[in-house]
Amino acid sequence: NGGTANSASGGFTFFLDTSTAGSATINNNAGTVSGASGGETDFESTSSAGNAHINISGAGATGHGVAGRVVFSGNATAGNATFFNGSSSVVNAEGGQIFFYNQTNAGTASIENFNGVGNGITHFFASASAGGSFIVNDGGTAFPESGGETDFNDTSTAAGAEITNNGSTHASVNAGETE
């Protein structure tokens, strides 16, 4: 769970070495007050998210709330897991965040980045790969929302991923986006 006081840390779950999340359900909830960190799950070394269902909530606290996060580093993989990367409906509060670093890959995971004032975002850095994953970036539905987002940075690659960017349903709102 996320922190419950300003500057408080959220809870952490670590998968190390060759460990796997199996078929677990993991909830990374946001901080409950402004400035409190959200819950975080880290996959390190050659660990795997397996077939887990992982929910990442967007921050609901007013003013600079911190969402839940999932971080992949080393050579970890998302396996065949399902990720629901939530959004925030509050201004200055971030949506859920998924980070792939180093030589990690998204495997054949399903990732949905939700729309919101603080949108759900999946980031790929360094030599990370989206693998054969299925990624959906929802489109915004009302002002001031933004659509879900997937970002590729450095030498990361979409590889054989299937990425769908849904359109918005409002003239002043961003659609789902990949950059």
Side-chain angles (χ1 to χ4, degrees):
N1 283 325
T4 58
N6 189 7
S7 299
S9 296
F12 286 91
T13 303
F14 293 96
F15 290 91
L16 307 172
D17 302 321
T18 59
S19 62
T20 180
S23 296
T25 297
I26 300 170
N27 296 307
N28 294 306
N29 295 319
T32 59
V33 298
S34 180
S37 295
E40 180 171 315
T41 301
D42 290 2
F43 293 90
E44 301 177 5
S45 302
T46 57
S47 62
S48 173
N51 293 305
H53 294 273
I54 301 176
N55 302 303
I56 306 127
S57 68
T62 58
H64 308 290
V66 181
R69 297 171 185 260
V70 174
V71 178
F72 291 87
S73 62
N75 290 297
T77 179
N80 193 40
T82 301
F83 297 85
F84 294 102
N85 199 13
S87 62
S88 171
S89 59
V90 179
V91 174
N92 293 326
E94 68 182 8
Q97 306 281 313
I98 303 172
F99 296 91
F100 289 90
Y101 293 106
N102 311 108
Q103 286 77 41
T104 59
N105 73 76
T108 55
S110 295
I111 300 170
E112 184 171 3
N113 296 310
F114 288 90
N115 62 329
V117 176
N119 55 335
I121 304 175
T122 299
H123 308 272
F124 291 88
F125 292 99
S127 298
S129 170
S133 62
F134 302 91
I135 301 172
V136 175
N137 297 313
D138 290 341
T141 59
F143 184 80
E145 291 181 349
S146 291
E149 187 175 328
T150 301
D151 297 333
F152 291 94
N153 303 280
D154 308 317
T155 59
S156 62
T157 177
E162 181 178 315
I163 302 171
T164 302
N165 296 308
N166 290 325
S168 68
T169 59
H170 190 279
S172 299
V173 176
N174 292 340
E177 182 176 317
T178 300
E179 51 180 60

